[in-house]
């Protein structure tokens, strides 16, 4: 006689965590700013405009965030649509919520 396998009760927490892992990301996820280092270049996605530019500091409008990059010899190589290519030596990056109170 063939022995039948017993079915284990399903753990709903486990199934929910897997569903969440493979589920669709929240709306607006792909519009968030993204940064990628490629060799000696920094590529940004979702850059709306350059607010301030100097060889030591570049300030970018990234939608809901203001991103400031500090360094030396910073140079914008390309600004195509919402993609910015930046070269130079980056020493610090700061993020600020655009709609934060007390911003000057």
């Amino acid at each position: 006689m063939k022995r039948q396998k017993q079915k284990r009760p399903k753990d709903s927490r486990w199934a929910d965590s897997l569903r969440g892992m493979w589920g669709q990301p929240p709306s607006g996820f792909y519009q968030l700013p993204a940064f990628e280092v490629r060799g000696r270049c920094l590529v940004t996605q979702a850059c709306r405009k350059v607010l301030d530019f100097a060889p030591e500091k570049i300030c970018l409008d990234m939608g809901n965030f203001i991103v400031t990059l500090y360094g030396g010899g910073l140079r914008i190589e390309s600004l195509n649509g919402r993609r910015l290519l930046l070269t130079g030596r980056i020493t610090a990056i700061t993020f600020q919520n655009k709609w934060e109170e007390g911003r000057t």
Side-chain angles (χ1 to χ4, degrees):
M1 180 186 254
K2 195 172 188 180
R3 194 172 165 188
Q4 290 188 359
K5 292 183 182 179
Q6 290 182 345
K7 291 186 179 181
R8 286 189 273 168
K10 290 186 179 179
D11 186 4
S12 65
R13 289 178 292 140
W14 177 255
D16 289 342
S17 67
L18 280 177
R19 216 174 285 120
M21 186 185 324
W22 299 110
Q24 186 173 2
S27 64
F29 177 80
Y30 293 108
Q31 282 79 36
L32 293 176
F35 298 91
E36 182 180 344
V37 177
R38 293 183 182 175
R40 300 183 70 152
C41 300
L42 176 81
V43 179
T44 66
Q45 301 288 337
C47 178
R48 292 188 175 185
K49 62 182 166 179
V50 178
L51 300 173
D52 187 20
F53 174 71
E56 308 83 32
K57 174 182 161 183
I58 294 179
C59 191
L60 305 172
D61 179 357
M62 304 290 282
N64 291 334
F65 301 96
I66 302 293
V67 177
T68 307
L69 300 124
Y70 298 94
L74 299 177
R75 198 169 76 198
I76 296 174
E77 293 291 330
S78 170
L79 179 57
N80 185 2
R82 294 192 175 213
R83 183 181 189 153
L84 180 125
L85 177 64
L86 178 73
T87 59
R89 188 177 51 89
I90 298 172
T91 56
I93 300 174
T94 61
F95 298 88
Q96 183 178 14
N97 189 339
K98 193 180 202 179
W99 313 112
E100 180 177 280
E101 288 190 31
R103 182 178 172 270
T104 58

